[in-house]
């Protein structure tokens, strides 16, 4: 009897469910409203409800058999996922509509990535699109958020055997150790803080061609409006990572005095922003220090380790890095008039009284503030082979 009593008091997972019986979605894409072919047919047969077609929400469900159908992504019968799309003006309502189209309700406990269309962000602001996702207890706040300048749903489609695009996108972040063109991921927790602070920020951009995904640049979200206002290219994104000390990897390529390419590989990168205040006049001084190796040169006539050759090469790379940084700053100040590089944060730390005066219209102040950049670059070695 004692054994039976003890057995009855042992804890266990009384509410466990087999994963094959659950419709777990691991990826989500939000696009401008566009009825799918299935929705058009259903609508012709009277399957309608009160709505405006403002957005299309696509979820990626795994495993496939959890959605209870034989359909597969494209014509690939080996697909491990199924993309389900619905159109309307409420994300929650679209999700509830999925429940009358499938035999299992979708569950977001394992959502990995959210991809937003920049075209949608031109029409709707970020706060509107994230409202339900931040309120829903099913969705974890560690979910990563990305942008797509094409159709966001296309980033969640792949014809590669046994590949699940949402998992693939999240895993691509690991390549930060090789290149600073990959921004540090923005998760829902950080995005929530950025939205409420009214600060402008950048999100990693995804592009797709011939069934291949690539992290290509970043999109800028204006803090006061929450709308997408423009994009940074790959080189600008790399400089942004270096400027904010979120990246210390990557390469810089330039051309030597014979117009031949040569490449510098970073081993270390450090940026420091200092505020200079003179009365009401404000300026920033940025000092960038980097060490690395001359890893590739097409000038076979001279030894890279030659002191005179080395100094000339260092100056060329230094000039190139200065040009890259100035291009980024010019784009942020003149073209987009947004601070996504943390200058406002440095001002709030170093000059809090002045920050309190300008924080409500900081992007405008930032666009008129002089920024001076100095670069220190030094070769540490020339790889494992030299003449």
């Amino acid at each position: 009897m004692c054994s039976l009593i003890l057995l009855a008091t042992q804890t266990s997972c009384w509410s466990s469910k087999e994963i094959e019986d659950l419709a777990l979605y691991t990826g989500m894409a939000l696009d401008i409203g566009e009825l799918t072919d299935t929705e058009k047919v259903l609508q012709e047969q009277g399957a309608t409800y009160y709505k405006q077609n403002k957005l299309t929400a696509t979820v990626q469900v795994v495993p496939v058999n959890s959605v209870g159908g034989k359909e597969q992504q494209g014509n690939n019968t080996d697909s491990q996922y199924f993309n389900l799309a619905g159109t309307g003006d409420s994300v929650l309502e679209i999700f509830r509509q999925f429940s009358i189209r499938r035999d299992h309700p979708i569950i977001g406990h394992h959502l990995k990535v959210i991809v937003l269309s920049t075209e949608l962000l031109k029409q709707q602001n970020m706060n509107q699109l994230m409202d339900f996702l931040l309120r829903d207890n099913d969705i974890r706040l560690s979910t990563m958020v990305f942008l797509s300048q094409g159709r966001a749903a296309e980033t969640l489609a792949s014809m590669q055997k046994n590949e699940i695009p949402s998992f693939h996108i999240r895993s691509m972040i690991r390549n930060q150790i090789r290149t600073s063109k990959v921004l540090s991921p923005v998760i829902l927790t950080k995005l929530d803080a950025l939205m409420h602070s009214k600060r402008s920020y950048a999100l990693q951009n995804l592009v797709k061609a011939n069934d291949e995904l690539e992290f290509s640049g970043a999109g800028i979200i204006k803090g006061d409006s929450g709308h997408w206002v423009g994009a940074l290219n790959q080189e600008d994104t790399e400089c942004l990572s270096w400027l904010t000390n979120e990246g210390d990897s990557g390469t810089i390529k330039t051309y030597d005095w014979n117009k031949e390419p040569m490449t510098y590989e970073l081993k270390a990168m450090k940026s420091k922003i200092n505020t200079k205040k003179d009365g009401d006049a404000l300026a920033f001084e940025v000092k960038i220090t980097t060490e690395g190796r001359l890893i590739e040169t097409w000038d076979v006539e001279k030894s890279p380790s030659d002191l005179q050759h080395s100094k000339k090469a260092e100056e060329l790379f230094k000039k190139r890095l200065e040009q890259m940084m100035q291009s980024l700053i010019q784009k942020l100040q003149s073209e987009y008039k947004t601070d996504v590089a943390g200058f406002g944060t440095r001002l709030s730390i170093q000059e809090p009284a002045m920050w309190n005066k300008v924080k409500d219209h900081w992007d405008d102040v930032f666009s008129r503030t002089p920024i001076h950049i100095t670069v220190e670059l030094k070769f540490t070695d020339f790889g494992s082979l030299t003449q």
Side-chain angles (χ1 to χ4, degrees):
M1 288 181 63
C2 290
S3 297
L4 290 173
I5 293 172
L6 288 172
L7 184 62
T9 60
Q10 298 305 300
T11 60
S12 61
C13 190
W14 300 101
S15 60
S16 66
K17 295 181 180 179
E18 295 296 330
I19 191 170
E20 290 82 3
D21 297 329
L22 301 177
L24 303 174
Y25 64 94
T26 59
M28 180 190 300
L30 298 179
D31 288 292
I32 287 179
E34 185 177 300
L35 291 175
T36 64
D37 292 340
T38 299
E39 287 181 300
K40 290 176 182 177
V41 174
L42 290 173
Q43 188 168 289
E44 289 173 358
Q45 299 181 49
T48 60
Y49 63 94
Y50 182 63
K51 63 172 180 174
Q52 298 177 16
N53 294 327
K54 288 188 174 183
L55 64 88
T56 295
T58 303
V59 293
Q60 186 158 96
V61 181
V62 293
V64 169
N65 58 354
S66 66
V67 296
K70 295 182 179 179
E71 299 174 79
Q72 299 288 331
Q73 179 65 34
N75 295 317
N76 186 359
T77 58
D78 294 321
S79 180
Q80 301 298 305
Y81 67 92
F82 178 82
N83 286 353
L84 186 61
T87 305
D89 52 8
S90 165
V91 178
L92 175 59
E93 192 172 36
I94 292 171
F95 283 9
R96 293 299 180 260
Q97 288 297 115
F98 291 156
S99 297
I100 62 176
R101 291 169 56 184
R102 298 291 161 184
D103 57 354
H104 295 300
I106 61 172
I107 298 174
H109 295 155
H110 295 277
L111 181 61
K112 305 297 182 184
V113 299
I114 299 171
V115 185
L116 304 172
S117 162
T118 56
E119 291 299 317
L120 179 62
L121 279 168
K122 291 178 183 179
Q123 298 182 8
Q124 313 296 329
N125 65 52
M126 185 68 78
N127 299 62
Q128 293 172 321
L129 299 176
M130 291 293 108
D131 185 73
F132 163 70
L133 302 179
L134 289 168
R135 293 172 186 266
D136 187 10
N137 290 329
D138 278 359
I139 297 175
R140 300 293 181 256
L141 294 177
S142 58
T143 303
M144 296 179 183
V145 183
F146 300 94
L147 298 179
S148 172
Q149 286 187 257
R151 193 84 179 161
E154 293 180 1
T155 66
L156 296 182
S158 174
M159 296 302 293
Q160 299 294 323
K161 184 178 179 180
N162 297 326
E163 179 180 272
I164 300 176
S166 52
F167 284 36
H168 176 70
I169 293 171
R170 191 176 179 97
S171 297
M172 287 169 65
I173 291 292
R174 293 179 296 186
N175 289 326
Q176 280 183 302
I177 62 174
R178 292 293 187 181
T179 174
S180 294
K181 293 178 181 178
V182 180
L183 290 177
S184 295
V186 175
I187 61 175
L188 282 175
T189 303
K190 184 177 180 180
L191 182 61
D192 186 34
L194 290 168
M195 289 190 300
H196 283 86
S197 68
K198 302 295 183 182
R199 288 165 49 194
S200 298
Y201 51 94
L203 294 175
Q204 185 74 57
N205 190 60
L206 280 165
V207 296
K208 185 176 182 180
N210 297 325
D211 204 41
E212 184 172 334
L213 279 174
E214 179 177 306
F215 283 147
S216 182
I220 296 176
I221 309 298
K222 187 78 169 176
D224 55 1
S225 69
H227 289 289
W228 180 88
V229 295
L232 300 175
N233 61 32
Q234 293 185 21
E235 191 173 280
D236 295 328
T237 303
E238 192 169 35
C239 288
L240 182 62
S241 295
W242 294 335
L243 193 58
T244 55
N245 286 312
E246 293 186 355
D248 58 0
S249 58
T251 60
I252 301 172
K253 186 192 72 177
T254 189
Y255 297 91
D256 64 18
W257 35 92
N258 296 319
K259 307 301 181 184
E260 296 288 358
M262 56 182 181
T263 307
Y264 168 83
E265 182 182 22
L266 277 69
K267 294 179 65 177
M269 171 71 77
K270 184 70 175 178
S271 173
K272 186 175 182 180
I273 300 174
N274 285 317
T275 304
K276 297 298 179 182
K277 178 176 173 291
D278 185 9
D280 290 333
L282 176 66
F284 289 105
E285 290 187 356
V286 180
K287 183 177 180 180
I288 297 172
T289 306
T290 176
E291 293 183 347
R293 57 172 62 94
L294 179 60
I295 195 65
E296 183 178 10
T297 176
W298 286 26
D299 185 354
V300 296
E301 300 298 327
K302 294 185 178 180
S303 171
S305 58
D306 178 78
L307 183 60
Q308 185 178 4
H309 179 278
S310 174
K311 291 298 181 183
K312 289 173 65 177
E314 283 180 346
E315 287 300 315
L316 289 176
F317 282 116
K318 175 182 174 182
K319 183 178 179 180
R320 173 62 181 147
L321 181 54
E322 288 175 347
Q323 291 173 344
M324 292 166 64
M325 286 293 178
Q326 291 290 355
S327 176
L328 170 65
I329 296 300
Q330 191 276 334
K331 192 170 291 186
L332 294 179
Q333 287 190 307
S334 302
E335 190 170 346
Y336 301 133
K337 294 181 169 57
T338 56
D339 173 23
V340 298
F343 287 93
T345 301
R346 297 304 301 169
L347 179 63
S348 66
I349 295 171
Q350 297 176 356
E351 298 289 345
M354 188 172 193
W355 169 250
N356 288 331
K357 295 179 181 179
V358 301
K359 63 181 181 180
D360 292 334
H361 53 283
W362 170 242
D363 280 343
D364 291 333
V365 175
F366 167 75
S367 65
R368 302 190 303 269
T369 303
I371 298 176
H372 307 286
I373 298 175
T374 58
V375 173
E376 291 183 4
L377 186 147
K378 181 181 179 181
F379 291 159
T380 57
D381 61 85
F382 305 92
S384 59
L385 177 66
T386 186
Q387 294 179 349

